[in-house]
Amino acid sequence: MQNDNIFVLILSLEQYQNTNLLSQKICGRTMTEWVQQATAPFKTKSIMVSPEDDIITLFKDNITGAPFTVVTYVDMPLLTIQDILDAVDYCFHKNVPAVKLPRGWVFNTSLVAESETFPVTDFMAANKANYQVAFNNTQIAKIRSMLQERINQQHIKNGVTIIDPQHTYIDADVELHPDVTLEPNVHLCGKTTIHSGTTILDGCRIDNAVIGQNSQVGPNAHIRPNSSIGNGCRIGNYVEIKRSRIGDGTKVAHMTYVGDSTLGKNCNVGCGVIFCNYNGKTKSNCIVGDDAFIGSNSCLVAPLNVGAKTYIAAGSVITESLPAKALGIARARQAIKEHYVTE
């Protein structure tokens, strides 16, 4: 069956107009977007209807030149392209005027358009569960679990190792390459891409970001949108990366915030470092050259450039740019007061 022989009429019930059900994200897509994805190969039309509207009248009011018309609903996010093709193939091979789906219809346009009455054949769907309706939050939660299982199993088939699929949360548009490993309680959101050989440890959230090959992220790291992590990197526990670029081989190992910054290759960022990107009004950038070493508990106050192979001493607050191969120290000298405590 060629796709241009199929027209899909998508019905949205009036009762959803004043609710947020259709706009809720389910594995990264709204219900409307899930149905749009399932009907993407076909010509479609979406209309608002009430529960009292007659399906046959709706069909006849929206006849196109397509030999077959599928009537479905916007509140069925589990529906797939294959479900639609299977239903139409059944109608075609049985040569019947109309087929009643578990929810929805298939009409043979030429046999129904001019008829007042016609026989209806029931369709025993191979995947009847895909016709479930997301009519409240309880049902949405159930459908979310089913969609998540579908997504996770597809990644496993493609060569991704998911340690605990029931506690791994991957949005529909995430791209995972073979040989990626995901530990439990990982959230991969939006259009995140993770390349081969990379391991995401437990408790991480990665949102619309790119992670290169053979890197390690986590545990409990947060990679925010528009960030990219290079190849062979290590992003450690309680690290937050926000709208930043991390070069190949760079390590940001412990409890660090990197915001609006670019780090070169093979840098080392110590524990507790903060890239201070916001002054209360504007956000500014830090640029760190290759092979730089940033000591623990340092603050880099943007805008700032740190040259290649430069060292920053632990505990420094750096407010001025540093040239290549320099050492930056910005902290009070230690004072020792002997005999400070008296008996």
Side-chain angles (χ1 to χ4, degrees):
M1 178 65 61
Q2 294 181 344
N3 292 342
D4 56 5
N5 289 330
I6 301 171
F7 169 69
V8 182
L9 185 63
I10 305 171
L11 308 184
S12 179
L13 299 178
E14 290 178 345
Q15 66 198 58
Y16 293 135
Q17 279 188 301
N18 298 319
T19 73
N20 68 345
L21 284 176
L22 297 182
S23 61
Q24 281 193 46
K25 292 285 187 177
I26 306 175
C27 299
R29 293 176 183 165
T30 65
M31 275 198 280
T32 302
E33 289 169 340
W34 277 108
V35 174
Q36 287 173 343
Q37 192 263 349
T39 59
F42 318 112
K43 295 179 180 179
T44 65
K45 181 179 179 181
S46 299
I47 60 174
M48 186 75 66
V49 298
S50 71
E52 293 76 27
D53 286 334
D54 178 66
I55 295 296
I56 307 302
T57 302
L58 291 172
F59 158 69
K60 290 187 175 182
D61 288 345
N62 292 277
I63 288 177
T64 67
F68 295 93
T69 297
V70 177
V71 179
T72 190
Y73 293 82
V74 75
D75 54 8
M76 298 196 303
L78 288 165
L79 196 69
T80 67
I81 296 170
Q82 193 60 51
D83 292 328
I84 295 172
L85 291 174
D86 288 347
V88 173
D89 282 344
Y90 180 86
C91 185
F92 171 71
H93 289 295
K94 292 292 184 180
N95 195 31
V96 292
V99 172
K100 181 70 177 70
L101 307 178
R103 189 163 187 256
W105 294 77
V106 178
F107 294 105
N108 186 322
T109 305
S110 61
L111 297 180
V112 175
E114 304 301 328
S115 302
E116 292 297 326
T117 60
F118 46 84
V120 175
T121 304
D122 286 332
F123 175 60
M124 301 301 294
N127 295 300
K128 189 175 180 180
N130 290 353
Y131 290 84
Q132 291 185 66
V133 183
F135 55 83
N136 58 34
N137 287 331
T138 299
Q139 193 65 19
I140 286 176
K142 179 181 178 181
I143 286 174
R144 179 181 287 111
S145 178
M146 296 174 69
L147 282 169
Q148 191 64 80
E149 181 180 7
R150 182 189 294 176
I151 292 167
N152 290 1
Q153 289 302 319
Q154 186 60 53
H155 285 300
I156 290 171
K157 290 178 182 178
N158 293 341
V160 175
T161 298
I162 302 179
I163 304 299
D164 185 356
Q166 290 187 329
H167 297 94
T168 302
Y169 308 95
I170 306 171
D171 280 355
D173 295 319
V174 169
E175 180 182 348
L176 300 178
H177 291 212
D179 298 320
V180 166
T181 299
L182 305 178
E183 290 195 350
N185 296 312
V186 165
H187 293 253
L188 304 179
C189 308
K191 296 184 181 296
T192 289
T193 298
I194 301 177
H195 291 273
S196 298
T198 285
T199 297
I200 310 299
L201 301 179
D202 60 281
C204 292
R205 182 180 181 88
I206 303 175
D207 189 353
N208 284 292
V210 177
I211 315 295
Q213 295 180 342
N214 302 314
S215 290
Q216 178 177 295
V217 179
N220 300 303
H222 186 190
I223 314 298
R224 291 170 58 183
N226 301 314
S227 295
S228 68
I229 311 300
N231 300 326
C233 292
R234 182 185 172 199
I235 307 299
N237 51 297
Y238 304 105
V239 171
E240 180 177 354
I241 309 290
K242 177 252 181 183
R243 203 165 62 188
S244 296
R245 304 288 182 267
I246 310 298
D248 294 348
T250 287
K251 296 176 175 59
V252 186
H254 322 279
M255 295 178 285
T256 290
Y257 171 71
V258 181
D260 296 291
S261 297
T262 300
L263 278 64
K265 298 178 181 179
N266 302 313
C267 296
N268 189 90
V269 180
C271 179
V273 172
I274 300 174
F275 285 72
C276 307
N277 59 319
Y278 185 52
N279 64 6
K281 293 183 179 179
T282 59
K283 294 181 180 180
S284 301
N285 304 101
C286 284
I287 299 175
V288 178
D290 296 344
D291 302 298
F293 184 99
I294 302 173
S296 297
N297 201 37
S298 295
C299 295
L300 282 67
V301 182
L304 196 67
N305 289 325
V306 176
K309 298 184 178 180
T310 284
Y311 280 69
I312 293 176
S316 294
V317 178
I318 302 297
T319 59
E320 298 179 7
S321 293
L322 299 170
K325 300 181 179 179
L327 169 63
I329 306 175
R331 64 191 184 202
R333 286 185 175 276
Q334 178 176 311
I336 301 175
K337 307 284 188 179
E338 293 190 24
H339 312 298
Y340 181 74
V341 177
T342 59
E343 296 296 335

